[in-house]
Amino acid sequence: MTPITSGALTISDGRLALATLLILVNVGLSALLRLGLGRTLLIASTRMVVQLLLVGSVLEWLFRQDNAPAILLLALVMAVIAGISAVQRTRRRFAGIYRNSLVSVIGSSALVTGLAIVAIIQPEPWFTPQYLIPLLGMVLGNTLNGISLGLDRLMEGLLSRREQVEAWLALGGSRWEACNSVVRDAIRIAMIPTINSMMVMGLVSLPGMMTGQILEGAAPAAAVRYQIVILFMISAATALGVFGVVLLGYRSLTSQDHQLRLDRLSSLRERP
Amino acid sequence: MGNDDTLLLQAQGLDRQLGPRWLWRDLALQLQPGDRLALVAPSGAGKTLLLRSLALLDPLQQGELFLRGRTPAAWGLPVWRSRLIYLAQRPVLFPGTVRDNLQAVFQLAVHQQRHWQPETLAGWLESLGRDETFLDLDAERLSGGEAQLLNLLRALQLDPDILLLDEPTASLDPASTAAVEDLLAGWLEAGDRACVITSHDGEQLRRFGNRRLELAV
């Protein structure tokens, strides 16, 4: 397999195999401390390698396409996977949780990525997959974290503050008056990781996309500009996605009769 | 049966199933002004659930409710609950002082036309053997009994038609219990008002109640 264009040194199959030996550090530590993670580590690293190699081939094929519907379909599939994964990281379920997550992920990422592509980066044509797909992927990966955090905090917050919420309802509060502090907390907490990562960006962490561009031979100053754009995209999409999923969740877990409907919430057994 | 608007509260055909078990079926209940309905049932028979149902904090499985002849939907749920206030057995206190707790409820849209009434409150506090320093106490450090008093005052100041009292004096000593009963009796006489009360103290139910409703197991 040869990359389309590359300014970086190519990594041969043998050297790639050498890199996989690094996983032995994790496996060794797990065995030494009896963490019981050996099997999970092997599955995770195998999945990572297989998924990435597959994606590499798919992207090579995709970047040769100039077929807007096919590219948009792929974008949609990515967003659907992100929406489903966001829910799967949470510990509880309610009817409509997947729908809420999908609506929020697809809505926020489409809006933000669309705006960034059309107004800021302006590739020709607008659906050029080399721009659209990686940008969307980064937005989705971060929005997904925010959404699962926001959903989790909303559900746990309503459960732990159930008595307080119902006290407000019993005194004549509307469902919004009773729940808004829990809703706002969930949104705030879900946005904190994005804000924190912007704080230390470039000082503690050199973002992966920027590193990649620099390895490819891009001027650091140009790579930094892309990184700034992508960070603003990530924070806007995370904010919108979290806002959407938490508000939709609040509506799912309360009723139009201003009742708290935690009976709609079910918990999952702990999974590894 | 129609919806009689001389009745304060009318409930008919209420069913409630918890898992495979029916807590009650086709239950009817009426409250007239001045009624002090003692709800009598063994533990686990659903006293709290019945009070919560009347306040519509849980959805009604079956049946109809009317307050002064109007349905909950016609009142709007927040208004319904502002006229028929459910006091939970374990009071929920908000952060801040007792005064903060009492004033916080006036932020709710449904109570916008009501106002903080320091004079009325001072009278109630006096009848409960407290003075105004009670208002400055930190709500989160109140004893269980003091929390129950705060819970009661917070509801009374909203001038409801009906109080649904779930073990309102469970944490109070006998003297304070008597003071609360006197305060409630006076409040009930001062308007078209009624209350429903549960208690683990059968003596209190006989003493304070003037009607009984027994829930079968």
Side-chain angles (χ1 to χ4, degrees):
Chain A
M1 215 187 316
T2 47
I4 309 174
T5 60
S6 178
L9 300 172
T10 306
I11 298 175
S12 71
D13 289 350
R15 294 188 195 172
L16 191 59
L18 200 58
T20 61
L21 291 180
L22 287 171
I23 191 69
L24 292 180
V25 173
N26 304 55
V27 175
L29 262 180
S30 171
L32 190 68
L33 299 176
R34 299 192 189 158
L35 302 179
L37 291 176
R39 211 178 110 82
T40 318
L41 273 169
L42 285 177
I43 295 175
S45 45
T46 311
R47 274 188 61 161
M48 181 271 284
V49 170
V50 172
Q51 285 164 195
L52 284 182
L53 289 177
L54 275 176
V55 162
S57 335
V58 170
L59 290 181
E60 292 224 2
W61 169 81
L62 185 82
F63 286 3
R64 288 192 297 268
Q65 308 302 307
D66 91 29
N67 175 351
I71 292 158
L72 287 179
L73 183 66
L74 178 77
L76 185 65
V77 169
M78 288 166 64
V80 167
I81 294 173
I84 292 173
S85 315
V87 172
Q88 283 174 342
R89 292 191 195 176
T90 62
R91 289 168 283 177
R92 300 176 196 279
R93 295 285 180 278
F94 54 83
I97 191 171
Y98 283 102
R99 180 202 58 210
N100 292 352
S101 176
L102 288 172
V103 167
S104 309
V105 169
I106 295 172
S108 64
S109 61
L111 190 68
V112 171
T113 310
L115 270 176
I117 291 273
V118 171
I120 300 170
I121 300 178
Q122 303 182 350
E124 264 313 317
W126 62 269
F127 53 85
T128 306
Q130 186 189 344
Y131 291 92
L132 178 61
I133 297 300
L135 289 177
L136 179 68
M138 296 200 55
V139 165
L140 287 175
N142 288 276
T143 309
L144 183 165
N145 284 333
I147 282 188
S148 59
L149 196 53
L151 265 178
D152 204 54
R153 297 308 298 211
L154 176 74
M155 296 190 286
E156 299 306 317
L158 287 176
L159 276 167
S160 66
R161 280 146 86 178
R162 157 183 223 153
E163 290 186 342
Q164 193 185 336
V165 168
E166 292 207 317
W168 280 114
L169 292 174
L171 288 163
S174 66
R175 59 174 163 169
W176 176 248
E177 286 171 322
C179 296
N180 78 73
S181 65
V182 177
V183 168
R184 285 184 296 134
D185 271 358
I187 294 177
R188 205 190 63 234
I189 287 167
M191 308 226 295
I192 285 176
T194 312
I195 296 170
N196 284 348
S197 86
M198 289 203 287
M199 287 286 182
V200 298
M201 191 57 66
L203 301 177
V204 177
S205 58
L206 272 188
M209 186 183 90
M210 199 173 105
T211 314
Q213 281 184 297
I214 293 172
L215 283 176
E216 280 297 300
V224 161
R225 287 172 175 265
Y226 268 94
Q227 193 59 41
I228 291 172
V229 171
I230 190 78
L231 282 172
F232 282 129
M233 288 172 68
I234 286 171
S235 59
T238 304
L240 274 180
V242 165
F243 180 77
V245 86
V246 171
L247 281 184
L248 290 171
Y250 146 78
R251 289 188 67 89
S252 296
L253 293 173
T254 55
S255 72
Q256 297 205 332
D257 284 342
H258 303 276
Q259 291 153 339
L260 183 61
R261 296 297 306 272
L262 292 181
D263 54 313
R264 292 174 179 165
L265 210 52
S266 61
S267 72
L268 300 177
R269 270 183 295 165
E270 287 294 322
R271 285 183 306 181
Chain B
M1 284 212 288
N3 43 356
D4 182 345
D5 62 9
T6 65
L7 289 173
L8 274 184
L9 180 71
Q10 186 179 12
Q12 56 199 36
L14 302 189
D15 290 347
R16 176 71 184 226
Q17 200 175 13
L18 199 63
R21 188 162 66 104
W22 289 95
L23 290 176
W24 57 80
R25 294 191 82 158
D26 200 25
L27 182 130
L29 181 157
Q30 297 182 345
L31 288 179
Q32 315 250 15
D35 277 351
R36 308 173 188 180
L37 181 67
L39 192 54
V40 183
S43 293
K47 295 188 290 280
T48 296
L49 284 178
L50 180 56
L51 296 186
R52 287 175 56 93
S53 296
L54 296 178
L56 287 165
L57 287 168
D58 297 323
L60 275 188
Q61 284 180 342
Q62 191 64 254
E64 291 178 294
L65 295 175
F66 301 95
L67 182 70
R68 296 184 186 274
R70 294 171 67 190
T71 63
W75 285 107
L77 266 294
V79 177
W80 177 274
R81 294 194 194 110
S82 73
R83 314 200 103 205
L84 181 148
I85 297 184
Y86 164 69
L87 293 190
Q89 188 176 343
R90 281 174 44 200
V92 175
L93 305 182
F94 310 128
T97 62
V98 170
R99 182 184 283 102
D100 295 335
N101 265 268
L102 292 168
Q103 292 181 336
V105 292
F106 293 106
Q107 301 161 11
L108 297 176
V110 74
H111 301 307
Q112 292 269 280
Q113 75 291 358
R114 297 192 178 88
H115 300 287
W116 166 247
Q117 308 146 342
E119 296 81 15
T120 318
L121 197 67
W124 288 337
L125 282 173
E126 197 185 337
S127 67
L128 294 172
R130 312 273 155 167
D131 58 31
E132 297 195 20
T133 59
F134 182 64
L135 297 178
D136 296 317
L137 298 179
D138 181 351
E140 284 168 333
R141 303 178 74 165
L142 295 182
S143 71
E146 288 171 322
Q148 287 204 302
L149 296 182
L150 167 53
N151 201 25
L152 178 64
L153 294 176
R154 196 167 57 190
L156 279 181
Q157 62 174 353
L158 300 175
D159 193 24
D161 293 331
I162 297 170
L163 283 178
L164 304 173
L165 304 162
D166 198 352
E167 305 255 6
T169 58
S171 310
L172 290 170
D173 59 63
S176 301
T177 300
V180 165
E181 288 175 12
D182 287 345
L183 175 60
L184 282 170
W187 177 80
L188 286 163
E189 278 163 21
D192 279 356
R193 296 161 177 167
C195 73
V196 183
I197 184 169
T198 73
S199 173
H200 61 276
D201 177 2
E203 184 53 40
Q204 179 180 36
L205 294 179
R206 274 186 289 279
R207 182 175 66 231
F208 182 76
N210 58 13
R211 287 179 51 207
R212 287 166 80 82
L213 175 69
E214 306 216 0
L215 283 184
V217 194

